[in-house]
Structure formats: C-alpha cells, structure tokens
Amino acid sequence: MEIKQQLKLSQQLVMTPQLQQAIRLLQLSRLELIEEIRKECDANPVLADEEFEPRPRSNTDSSGAEVIGTAPEQGEARIDRLDERRRAETGSAEKTDTKQVNEIDWEQFLENRTLQQPLPASRGGFEELPPIEQNLTKAASLVDHLRWQLQMSDFTESEKRFAELILGNLDDNGFLDLKGVERPDGTRTPDLTIEELAEEAGLDPEDAPEVLRMMQEWDPVGVCSRDLRECLLVQAEVFGSLDLDVTIIDKHLHNLEKHNYQAIARDLKVPVEEVYESVKEIQKLESRPARNFSETDEKQIAITPDVYVVKDSEKWVVTDNDRGVQRLYINEALTKQLLKDPSAKEFIGEKLRNAQWLIRAIEQRRKTIIRVTECIVEKQREFFERGVAHLKPMILRDVAEAVGMHESTISRVTTNKYVHTPQGLFELKYFFNSSIRRVAEEDIASESVKQAIKKIIEGEDKQNPLSDQAIVEILAKQDGIQIARRTVAKYREMLGILASSKRKKLF
C-alpha cells in the first residue's frame, strides 16, 4: 500500500441554489406560489410587494430622514441600479468618518411608513358592516344533521356516548363502517362490533342493537346501516312496503342487481308481473343515505386559472393571470438605511441576492408557462375552435421539442396549472393524450374517443343498451376508430358508466 497523488478530469451536474429555487417554483401551483411569496416577504426585509403603494410625497420628511421612495419600480433594472449605488456608497463610506452617519430614528421611520400606507377607499367602523351571520355560511354535513337529531332525542348519557361513536364511524355513503384499518407496518386492526362500541360507551351490549335501530330511523331513513341490504330493509319497514318487497330485498338482492327477475319469480313462485311491480317500489328507496349531504360542497370549489386563452379576431392570445400574485420589488430606501451599518452589510447583501434570484425565478416561471401554453394552443388549434371532439393526440415530447426544453420541465409546468379557454377550464395536463388509430385518417386523441363513447351511450335505447362490442363496431363504422372491446370497457369505467346489463331499464 502506498499514498500517491492523481489528477482526474470529470464532468458532473451541479445544481446551483438559483436553479434549485427556479425548479421548485416552477412546479408550484398558483396558491402554493402565493404562499411561498408571502413567506419570502416575511423573511426578507428588502422585499416588498405591490400592496404597499406609498402616496406621492418628497423623499425627506421634516426631520431630514429619508423615507421610502415613490411608486415602486419593477424588475431587474431597479436591482442593478441599487447594486451600483451600494458599491458607490461603500467606497465613499471608507473615506467618511462613521461618526457623521446619523443614527436611524426607527420610531420616526415606522411612523412615516404607517402614514404612507394607502387608506381604504370606503371602510367604516364595525357598526357599518353587515351581521356576521350574513357573511359566514356552511352547508350542514350528514354528521351535523344527525347530531342535531341526537340532541333532540331522549337518549340517556350512555346511549348518547354510544350514538357519538356510531356517528364517528360513518363512511361517505352514510353506512356504519366498523372494518379494521391498516397499520403502517401493513397489518390490519381487528373489525369492531356494535357490542364493543357499547362497552366503550358504558352501555349494556344487549341494548346496542335497539339504540342503533332507533338511529337508523332518523332522517334520512336508513342511515347508520351496516350494508345496503339493511338500509333498504329499514326503509321498507318504515315506509310500510309489501311483504313481497321485503322478501326480495332480504333474499334476492343479488338477482335484483343483475335484473334477473325471472329467477326471483321462479324462487318465490309468483308471477313475474308482480316482481316487476315490487321492483318499481324498491327502486324508489334510497340506496345512499348521504346523497344530499357532503363534507365538501363541490359547487363552492373554485379554481383560479393561471393563464387565459382568448381569441382576438383570427388570432389566439395567451395572457397570464397575475391577480393575487404579488409583484415584488426592492425596498430601496430601507436597504440604503440598513447599508449604513457596517455590521449589517453582509446580511443585507445576502438578502439582496436572494431577492434578485426570487424576482428573476418568478418572472422566468411566468414566461415558461406562457411559452408552453402558446405551444399547446398552436398544436391544439382545432380543439379551441371546435371542441373536445377535435382534440389531437399529443405527448410531452412534442411540446418539449417545440419549445426547446426537457420533458421533465414540461411536466412540471403543466402540473396543477389551469387554463381558461372558450371551451371551458382545463388543466394543462388535459391536452396530453395517447393516440388511437383510425382508418384512412389521422390518429385521434384518447380523450376524444372517451367523449365519442359517452355520446353513443347517451343516445342508446335504454331498454336495449349497447354492449361493448356493439360500441366497438359503431366507432369503426362511424368514425373509423380501431379500438378493442377491452379498451371500450376501460374507457367506460373511467367515465363512470355501468355495463350494459346494469344500464338496462325495463320500466
């Protein structure tokens, strides 16, 4: 063994902090970007946003102390000019006695800053505001609705504790879910029983079924049931259904699901016409008690687009949506004051570099999103003109080659970014589809095939629904689309459409 020196020449990829920050900002959604900007503004004293708009006034107050300037300048020009001033002041500071630098009157500075804040145009006191109950609204969830009925009931304290445990184990459909949960190590906890819940609540286990039955008769009827069969049986009993209806629900729910009415008639030895009449009544029952209740109101979920695509004459124009995103600039006056302190120069210099990187990264993110969206608009022009049926197949590589970027960059740009178009609001990922072959025509996007399948099913005879193979033949005949039956079944399931046997309606 010996020790010796060797020279080695190699290449390696080193990501600078600026590049890491740019990549991280690129994949953030709009809300995440706003939150990131807010954090940076809180952590960096030299950064300011557009919400701070000082009133026009002189640069010096009555005491001679310099205050923050007038309207903020944008971009890198202000940063570069500030760097030049900082270097000039640093050189002159070496020749000037530090005793001549006046101490900053921070109280006066904060007072000036407060005075410069623009006051709201029309904002009165609290007595002018509407009552809070007119501003704050929340749709009642199923558990809230049931808990209100629990408070109005005459349950004992132990029965109320048991009822709270029941409400805490309801699933999204309103059914009682007592199945075990999976642990982090892959094992599952044992399933619970209502008797175990009763013991935990201090209730006699023999009383648990009776209390649960009383809860199942609350509104909506059938809630807190352990399965679909129990839910329908509770409703049938409460609403006074016929004995035949109860028997079909109790013993032939599987045949009812498959529309196998002949088997039900043979087993119960009743005419099939009577089975039809019973099925009509059973279909009026609710199979999902929580249908009219939801933890999140989908109608109130709003998505703010990142870019807009509008048509100006014969040209499509892409514009970014900067509403809500602060425009950052350098707080020059504050920085100049802090730079007068020799001990703070290194700290302020680092904050200035960070501010410069952040401003440039945000601007680069904005330009990249617009550039990628313009490329998508160019390649999917027929979609914007005529609709989803004319969506062309496109992959990340197509856009990456057109804009001169890597596929991973395009993937980051299109993730959680939304575009507002005349056809609706879409995620940028929506425009990337695999291709489906067509006879004697160019390939078609898979999303267009899904919409074609949906349109065919919507126009079918409900009493004689089309099978997947029949849909394959219609697609080949009408649109020349070559697609396998299993592909139709996969697309149908993605659209949430049942099979033909379950779509059939006899009544």
Side-chain angles (χ1 to χ4, degrees):
M1 297 179 64
E2 60 179 346
I3 300 177
K4 57 183 179 180
Q5 292 181 342
Q6 292 182 345
L7 293 177
K8 184 180 179 181
L9 183 63
S10 62
Q11 291 182 341
Q12 60 180 356
L13 178 62
V14 178
M15 296 183 64
T16 61
Q18 300 94 311
L19 181 58
Q20 294 179 11
Q21 184 183 48
I23 293 176
R24 184 169 57 86
L25 292 179
L26 191 61
Q27 60 189 4
L28 295 181
S29 64
R30 179 181 176 83
L31 293 179
E32 292 171 341
L33 177 64
I34 295 175
E35 180 67 18
E36 184 69 19
I37 292 176
R38 187 190 64 79
K39 291 181 180 178
E40 290 291 339
C41 289
D42 293 342
N44 196 335
V46 303
L47 273 177
D49 53 43
E50 66 178 357
E51 294 179 357
F52 185 80
E53 297 178 356
R55 295 174 179 176
R57 56 190 297 158
S58 62
N59 291 336
T60 57
D61 59 6
S62 59
S63 62
E66 187 174 8
V67 297
I68 296 179
T70 56
E73 295 181 17
Q74 295 288 342
E76 302 170 5
R78 188 177 183 88
I79 300 174
D80 297 336
R81 185 165 61 85
L82 182 58
D83 290 339
E84 294 178 1
R85 288 189 179 183
R86 184 182 60 179
R87 288 193 295 267
E89 291 177 1
T90 303
S92 61
E94 296 176 356
K95 301 178 182 179
T96 307
D97 189 3
T98 56
K99 295 181 180 180
Q100 297 179 358
V101 179
N102 297 327
E103 293 293 335
I104 300 176
D105 187 354
W106 288 107
E107 295 182 358
Q108 183 66 32
F109 173 77
L110 293 176
E111 181 182 354
N112 292 333
R113 183 169 182 173
T114 302
L115 292 175
Q116 292 165 356
Q117 293 285 355
L119 297 176
S122 58
R123 182 65 179 267
F126 289 104
E127 63 277 0
E128 297 182 11
L129 298 177
I132 189 172
E133 61 269 12
Q134 296 184 13
N135 294 328
L136 300 179
T137 58
K138 177 184 177 183
S141 64
L142 176 63
V143 175
D144 294 336
H145 184 60
L146 295 175
R147 188 171 285 120
W148 171 77
Q149 297 178 73
L150 175 61
Q151 295 172 354
M152 301 297 293
S153 66
D154 56 352
F155 283 0
T156 63
E157 291 300 323
S158 59
E159 292 174 345
K160 288 184 177 180
R161 289 193 297 269
F162 172 74
E164 285 287 352
L165 294 177
I166 294 294
L167 299 182
N169 286 277
L170 296 182
D171 60 11
D172 295 337
N173 295 322
F175 292 123
L176 178 60
D177 184 9
L178 298 178
K179 297 181 180 178
V181 296
E182 186 174 353
R183 297 192 180 98
D185 57 359
T187 59
R188 293 184 62 87
T189 59
D191 296 345
L192 296 175
T193 61
I194 58 174
E195 287 76 15
E196 293 175 349
L197 292 181
E199 292 179 357
E200 182 178 349
L203 178 68
D204 189 349
E206 295 182 356
D207 297 335
E210 182 179 355
V211 176
L212 179 61
R213 176 65 184 192
M214 295 173 63
M215 296 179 64
Q216 291 173 350
E217 295 182 2
W218 287 352
D219 179 67
V221 180
V223 72
C224 303
S225 299
R226 284 160 285 193
D227 51 29
L228 177 61
R229 173 180 165 275
E230 185 178 23
C231 176
L232 296 178
L233 286 175
V234 170
Q235 296 179 63
E237 181 178 345
V238 172
F239 298 145
S241 300
L242 300 177
D243 294 340
L244 180 60
D245 303 346
V246 176
T247 304
I248 293 176
I249 295 173
D250 188 23
K251 298 182 179 180
H252 292 278
L253 193 59
H254 59 287
N255 288 325
L256 189 64
E257 181 182 1
K258 297 178 181 178
H259 297 178
N260 193 358
Y261 306 137
Q262 298 291 341
I264 299 176
R266 287 194 302 267
D267 183 73
L268 299 180
K269 298 179 180 180
V270 295
V272 69
E273 289 78 10
E274 295 185 12
V275 175
Y276 288 163
E277 295 298 325
S278 294
V279 171
K280 288 182 181 179
E281 297 299 323
I282 294 174
Q283 288 180 343
K284 297 178 182 179
L285 303 179
E286 180 58 72
S287 60
R288 185 173 173 265
R291 187 181 304 276
N292 296 326
F293 299 88
S294 178
E295 292 296 332
T296 58
D297 190 356
E298 297 180 355
K299 297 180 180 179
Q300 298 179 359
I301 298 177
I303 298 178
T304 303
D306 295 85
V307 288
Y308 289 94
V309 176
V310 295
K311 189 174 184 180
D312 184 9
S313 183
E314 297 298 326
K315 183 180 179 181
W316 289 96
V317 180
V318 178
T319 58
D320 66 316
N321 180 17
D322 58 354
R323 176 175 295 183
V325 180
Q326 294 100 325
R327 293 290 186 180
L328 300 180
Y329 64 97
I330 301 298
N331 194 335
E332 182 179 347
L334 176 61
T335 305
K336 288 170 60 178
Q337 295 284 6
L338 295 177
L339 286 174
K340 293 180 181 180
D341 185 1
S343 61
K345 288 182 179 179
E346 183 178 355
F347 171 77
I348 294 301
E350 179 183 358
K351 293 300 181 181
L352 278 172
R353 288 191 297 270
N354 294 339
Q356 183 179 9
W357 295 343
L358 179 63
I359 292 174
R360 289 175 176 171
I362 293 175
E363 180 64 17
Q364 184 64 32
R365 176 186 183 273
R366 184 186 69 85
K367 292 180 179 179
T368 303
I369 294 176
I370 292 179
R371 187 178 177 187
V372 171
T373 306
E374 289 176 347
C375 180
I376 293 176
V377 172
E378 181 180 355
K379 292 182 176 295
Q380 300 286 358
R381 190 178 184 88
E382 291 189 11
F383 164 82
F384 293 96
E385 295 280 359
R386 306 168 66 181
V388 180
H390 299 275
L391 188 66
K392 293 183 178 180
M394 184 176 65
I395 58 178
L396 293 173
R397 186 184 306 168
D398 299 334
V399 177
E401 293 176 352
V403 299
M405 298 179 181
H406 195 269
E407 292 182 33
S408 61
T409 304
I410 304 300
S411 178
R412 292 187 179 97
V413 171
T414 56
T415 300
N416 295 327
K417 311 295 190 306
Y418 292 87
V419 55
H420 185 277
T421 72
Q423 304 297 336
L425 185 65
F426 300 93
E427 188 180 7
L428 289 179
K429 285 280 189 185
Y430 175 83
F431 298 98
F432 297 96
N433 293 273
S434 57
S435 60
I436 303 297
R437 294 187 59 187
R438 289 201 290 184
V439 179
E441 295 184 39
E442 62 180 5
D443 294 347
I444 187 173
S446 58
E447 187 66 28
S448 300
V449 177
K450 293 179 186 177
Q451 297 301 320
I453 294 174
K454 182 179 180 181
K455 186 176 180 180
I456 292 174
I457 294 178
E458 288 177 351
E460 69 182 1
D461 184 5
K462 302 304 179 183
Q463 295 185 354
N464 188 21
L466 298 172
S467 63
D468 294 341
Q469 184 61 37
I471 296 176
V472 170
E473 297 174 358
I474 294 176
L475 290 173
K477 182 179 180 180
Q478 292 183 355
D479 303 321
I481 300 175
Q482 295 180 341
I483 191 173
R485 182 194 58 80
R486 60 180 179 273
T487 307
V488 172
K490 181 181 70 172
Y491 288 170
R492 176 175 51 74
E493 293 175 357
M494 294 173 65
L495 293 170
I497 300 175
L498 300 175
S500 59
S501 60
K502 297 181 179 180
R503 298 199 308 268
K504 187 175 183 179
K505 294 184 178 180
L506 297 179
F507 316 114

